[in-house]
Amino acid sequence: MFIPNVILPDLRTDHAGETGAVFIYKGILLVSKDKEIIEFANNHLLTEKKHLELIEEILPDSEKSKLLFLWRFLGLLTGLIPALIGKKFIYVTIFFVESFVEKHYNEQILKLKKNKKSVELIQLLEKLKNDEISHKKDSFKRFGKLSFLLKIWGSIVKLGSRVAVSISHKI
């Protein structure tokens, strides 16, 4: 697969993000006793593990984030905290994370469309994006109306995602 150098920092953020996503679900599963949540988290965890494997196959080790320990820890907290608070917080977390990831993958796809050699990579990113959209829709239908507290939590999650991408883009 042809990987243009210009996209390597973005793929680093994808790798960091998929690592964090795996750990979000591990954090949820660490404390949740709710059957519905356990099923939800296990199903999404499988997808995120596959995403991580796919990114690891194409991203050279030298280009991976040097802060993977941090993305694992923060991912774990991002799953653990809402799991301790309640179901709706879990679903809202996933909704906001996946909304952010959808836009992030889309930006990369648009960047790559300028290069005719990147068709295979575009197809991969489209597949990953579509899975994330599916996760977003799944979580959206489960939480109902956004209360004031859920909106605040969602804003925190969105900000955290933005900061993580900004850092992992460089390191």
Side-chain angles (χ1 to χ4, degrees), residues 38-76:
I38 292 168
E39 183 182 342
F40 171 86
N42 276 321
N43 287 338
H44 288 227
L45 176 60
L46 282 175
T47 305
E48 300 301 348
K49 282 181 174 180
K50 288 177 191 165
H51 288 186
L52 183 57
E53 288 172 14
L54 290 168
I55 297 290
E56 285 184 337
E57 285 175 18
I58 64 168
L59 184 64
D61 286 343
S62 62
E63 293 296 330
K64 292 177 181 166
S65 175
K66 309 298 184 249
L67 301 173
L68 286 177
F69 67 93
L70 181 62
W71 309 133
R72 289 180 186 110
F73 176 71
L74 293 174
L76 194 70

Side-chain angles (χ1 to χ4, degrees), residues 58-147:
I58 64 168
L59 184 64
D61 286 343
S62 62
E63 293 296 330
K64 292 177 181 166
S65 175
K66 309 298 184 249
L67 301 173
L68 286 177
F69 67 93
L70 181 62
W71 309 133
R72 289 180 186 110
F73 176 71
L74 293 174
L76 194 70
L77 283 180
T78 304
L80 192 66
I81 292 168
L84 290 170
I85 300 171
K87 244 183 193 175
K88 285 188 176 191
F89 278 83
I90 292 170
Y91 296 136
V92 166
T93 299
I94 301 309
F95 175 78
F96 277 91
V97 166
E98 300 299 21
S99 296
F100 178 85
V101 173
E102 175 188 359
K103 289 176 190 161
H104 184 61
Y105 276 134
N106 213 44
E107 289 167 3
Q108 294 169 56
I109 292 164
L110 291 173
K111 188 186 294 187
L112 286 168
K113 285 192 174 178
K114 297 172 188 168
N115 188 327
K116 301 279 186 222
K117 297 179 189 175
S118 301
V119 174
E120 205 176 351
L121 181 54
I122 290 170
Q123 289 172 342
L124 172 65
L125 293 174
E126 288 279 3
K127 186 217 176 312
L128 299 179
K129 180 183 85 168
N130 289 336
D131 288 345
E132 306 299 3
I133 290 169
S134 173
H135 288 182
K136 178 181 85 169
K137 288 178 179 177
D138 185 26
S139 60
F140 179 77
K141 70 181 181 190
R142 295 172 186 255
F143 65 77
K145 192 173 187 283
L146 280 176
S147 67

